Amino acid sequence: MAMIRPKIKIARDSDSKVIQEILQANQMLAEGLDWSRIYPSWILAEWKDEIVGCIQVLVGYPTGMLPLWAVLPKYKNSGIGIYLLWAAEEILRQAGCDGFLGITDSGRILKKLERLGGVKIGQFSLIMKRIYKEERDGQRNKDTNSAAATA
């Protein structure tokens, strides 16, 4: 596929559904979470009036974090992912981060990592743990993914 230069923009809360769809298409969606408040933690890649990729950008010190990063499967290997990475890096640079940690299984990114100025620091499993919070009616949100929810 030819290299595509997408339009990059900050996601709004109203973009949460398309982010979920992109993550789901990549088997990366954590079900049952409240996706209503995503601004300003996500950026989007748009190509021909379609949102085709997303990356979550979390500012931290000394390192920021890029925990979720995905492109629609039909646009993989088109360069969209790297444009998202460059945009995320610029946001973190402007925020004063010294570096960032990110997660990828993209062979193309891993092959280019050193040229991009990065290093692979180990083998990891991406973990996700739901945090319980109180609902407005005083009831805790439900965890449908664990045995503890039935206890």
Side-chain angles (χ1 to χ4, degrees):
M1 178 175 270
M3 185 81 146
I4 292 173
R5 184 177 182 139
K7 177 182 173 187
I8 302 293
K9 64 181 185 178
I10 303 291
R12 303 257 180 233
D13 289 342
S14 60
D15 294 313
S16 66
K17 184 155 181 64
V18 72
I19 290 171
Q20 291 175 73
E21 290 168 357
I22 293 168
L23 294 176
Q24 182 68 42
N26 287 277
Q27 300 176 340
M28 297 171 65
L29 181 63
E31 299 285 345
L33 300 179
D34 177 3
W35 285 88
S36 64
R37 297 178 304 153
I38 59 161
Y39 175 82
S41 300
W42 288 83
I43 56 178
L44 304 173
E46 183 179 335
W47 177 248
K48 296 184 178 179
D49 297 322
E50 179 184 15
I51 302 300
V52 297
C54 60
I55 189 168
Q56 187 178 28
V57 183
L58 303 176
V59 174
Y61 306 100
T63 58
M65 183 73 181
L66 307 176
L68 293 170
W69 174 19
V71 173
L72 286 174
K74 70 181 181 179
Y75 290 101
K76 291 214 178 205
N77 300 316
S78 67
I80 290 171
I82 199 69
Y83 278 103
L84 283 165
L85 178 66
W86 289 337
E89 184 174 349
E90 181 60 19
I91 289 169
L92 295 173
R93 185 190 68 72
Q94 288 182 18
C97 299
D98 289 333
F100 65 86
L101 302 171
I103 301 161
T104 186
D105 65 354
S106 168
R108 290 185 72 184
I109 294 293
L110 294 172
K111 285 180 186 176
K112 296 178 182 179
L113 189 60
E114 189 173 326
R115 190 167 43 123
L116 294 170
V119 295
K120 186 175 175 182
I121 59 173
Q123 294 182 340
F124 300 94
S125 294
L126 177 61
I127 64 168
M128 188 276 180
K129 169 66 175 91
R130 183 158 185 182
I131 298 172
Y132 291 103
K133 58 188 174 189
E134 296 297 319
E135 296 287 327
R136 287 191 179 122
D137 63 3
Q139 299 295 312
R140 287 173 61 139
N141 54 7
K142 304 288 186 211
D143 182 355
T144 58
N145 297 325
S146 74
T150 61

